[in-house]
Amino acid sequence: MNKEITRLHTNVRMSQVVIAGGVVYLAGQVPITQYATIPEQTNEVLTQIDGLLAEAGVDKTRLLTANIWLSDARYFDEFNRVWDAWIPQGNAPTRACVQSLLMRAGCDVEVAVTALA
């Protein structure tokens, strides 16, 4: 087994992508535009995920799992409409979605995914 670890977009606190043991781990992605609508925030986050997965040499058809945080459970349906359109049919990962206060004001969506390399 390859024991190499590749880190992308690394700073003192964290890496946005870690590739190890044939698995691609993404840090939680939050929207750039604060106080945007839930569909806008969700689209921004999913676009960021697409870009990071591409840098790691995979795409969303390789997703294994997703962890989703919404600042309010009221946003669940709005989030899911965007998510359902983004996930390729037949390639849905396992998923957890919870309500949680997020660390930046005006950010209501955060998503972290893991994919098979």
Side-chain angles (χ1 to χ4, degrees):
M1 174 184 255
N2 183 351
K3 295 184 187 241
E4 182 178 325
I5 298 173
T6 302
R7 301 173 200 282
L8 306 175
H9 303 284
T10 300
N11 63 33
V12 67
R13 182 173 298 143
M14 62 186 283
S15 297
Q16 290 297 314
V17 180
V18 174
I19 306 165
V23 179
V24 178
Y25 303 89
L26 267 59
Q29 300 301 303
V30 296
I32 296 165
T33 307
Q34 295 172 268
Y35 300 104
T37 67
I38 297 306
E40 290 170 329
Q41 289 189 43
T42 304
N43 276 313
E44 280 188 12
V45 166
L46 298 178
T47 297
Q48 290 167 208
I49 289 171
D50 281 333
L52 291 170
L53 289 173
E55 284 187 58
V58 298
D59 64 26
K60 60 192 168 193
T61 65
R62 306 289 289 169
L63 292 180
L64 299 171
T65 189
N67 292 307
I68 300 157
W69 297 268
L70 301 175
S71 66
D72 194 306
R74 294 177 299 154
Y75 301 144
F76 188 67
D77 291 337
E78 284 182 279
F79 174 86
N80 281 331
R81 277 191 285 282
V82 177
W83 174 267
D84 292 348
W86 179 74
I87 290 292
Q89 188 167 353
N91 290 283
T94 64
R95 190 181 113 158
C97 184
V98 299
Q99 177 179 314
S100 177
L101 293 177
L102 301 180
M103 296 306 295
R104 196 169 68 184
C107 288
D108 298 302
V109 175
E110 182 168 350
V111 179
V113 300
T114 303
L116 190 62

